[in-house]
Amino acid sequence: MMIHFILPGDTLENIAEKIRLENPVHLKDFHNQHCLKEDLIVDDLIPGKKLLLPDLAKIKAYNDKNDAPFKSLELNPKIVFNPIGFNEKFKTIIKESSNAEGKTVDKSFSYIASLEWKKNELGEHLFHFTKDQFSNRNDTKMESLAIESMKSLYPIEVFVNAKGEILRTALKKEILNNFNQIKGKLLDFFPDKYAEIYLEEFEYAVLNAHIFDEKMKEDWFLKNYFSSLRNPFENGKSFFEMYLDKILLNVQQTVKLTDNKEEILLHQTLKSKEENQNDFTGNVTISKNDGMIKSMNLSHTYNEFSVLYTTEFSIENI
């Protein structure tokens, strides 16, 4: 048995965490079983009074009960991935801002993303992915060219493993076989030298499968929808890595309890936050039945060369 003198701000929870006792309720029970009658804990801890702590062997015995709240099935769900027959559309919005010396620059755009499951072959799921109904605040001719160029390639093939993680992307054979005609039509729509230069670079990326795959894996919708967020939970937490704004983030997830028995609500934060470097939060709603994402809201903030950048990404099933 050990003795702890209660300090202002002490709680059963933070003291239990310090001594690695998983369920703080046992801390109160142990103290009340061994203390004098006048030292019984009824409600809150009283600073200055003694708190009797269990020794290591007793702590282990308590932990072996596996009755800590964070070990409940509700807080440690097994997220399945069963996309067979999936065919849904999502309203997608990306907002970006930068702040330098108090001056803020904002830009945003939106589109409708479509995902259609096609087949499962050799343990890989094939989806068709398209974007449509683009909208932005900074409409320019080059942006229009970029949008029309990508729309000419749809649907894009997306291959995903059994855990819902993206493996690779590719163009359909018909698109590759007809790319000269596609490029010709784009040049007819955008007949200037700048468009011609852009389309030469576009063609190089399209006809090089590796380059195309790497670029598509940077797509905000694809890399977030098909991330490793279905990693297993343990003690109320799940961990995975993801790239946002070309920064590798170590993300931890917890479950937010809800009365809706058909959904799993995930809350995401950084596993560890470096001072003045990165900040990240995410909230994701997943169908408990098939493990498919219904909605997602992410926010990432980081500093670079004294400029504060923020990206907000959201999708909503429609």
Side-chain angles (χ1 to χ4, degrees), residues 89-101:
K89 297 180 183 294
F90 298 85
K91 175 72 173 181
T92 306
I93 301 174
I94 300 178
K95 299 179 180 179
E96 299 174 327
S97 68
S98 61
N99 187 299
E101 299 179 349

Side-chain angles (χ1 to χ4, degrees), residues 114-222:
S114 300
L115 270 183
E116 181 181 5
W117 180 88
K118 303 302 291 185
K119 63 179 180 179
N120 182 359
E121 191 170 80
L122 300 177
E124 296 181 0
H125 294 280
L126 170 62
F127 289 83
H128 279 180
F129 173 62
T130 63
K131 293 181 182 179
D132 202 1
Q133 301 182 38
F134 290 84
S135 159
N136 58 61
R137 287 169 41 186
N138 303 299
D139 195 16
T140 66
K141 185 174 182 180
M142 291 307 294
E143 285 178 338
S144 298
L145 172 58
I147 290 172
E148 291 303 318
S149 298
M150 285 304 300
K151 287 173 68 173
S152 69
L153 304 179
Y154 295 139
I156 290 168
E157 295 184 329
V158 182
F159 296 86
V160 178
N161 67 17
K163 289 177 58 180
E165 300 165 326
I166 190 167
L167 296 172
R168 64 188 182 280
T169 63
L171 290 170
K172 297 179 68 177
K173 291 182 179 178
E174 306 92 276
I175 297 294
L176 291 172
N177 293 337
N178 296 319
F179 185 76
N180 285 335
Q181 296 94 308
I182 292 172
K183 180 182 175 183
K185 289 181 180 179
L186 289 170
L187 284 170
D188 289 340
F189 283 126
F190 301 93
D192 63 58
K193 63 179 182 178
Y194 299 107
E196 186 174 354
I197 293 171
Y198 175 88
L199 288 172
E200 288 295 326
E201 295 176 352
F202 180 67
E203 179 179 20
Y204 178 76
V206 167
L207 299 183
N208 286 268
H210 175 72
I211 294 175
F212 179 80
D213 178 48
E214 290 301 310
K215 287 184 175 294
M216 287 307 304
K217 284 179 178 175
E218 285 300 308
D219 180 271
W220 271 74
F221 185 96
L222 291 180

Side-chain angles (χ1 to χ4, degrees), residues 27-45:
L27 188 57
K28 179 178 178 180
D29 292 342
F30 179 86
H31 173 85
N32 286 345
Q33 288 172 13
H34 296 87
C35 72
L36 298 175
K37 186 176 181 180
E38 58 267 26
D39 291 329
L40 286 172
I41 296 175
V42 179
D43 295 312
D44 297 332
L45 299 183

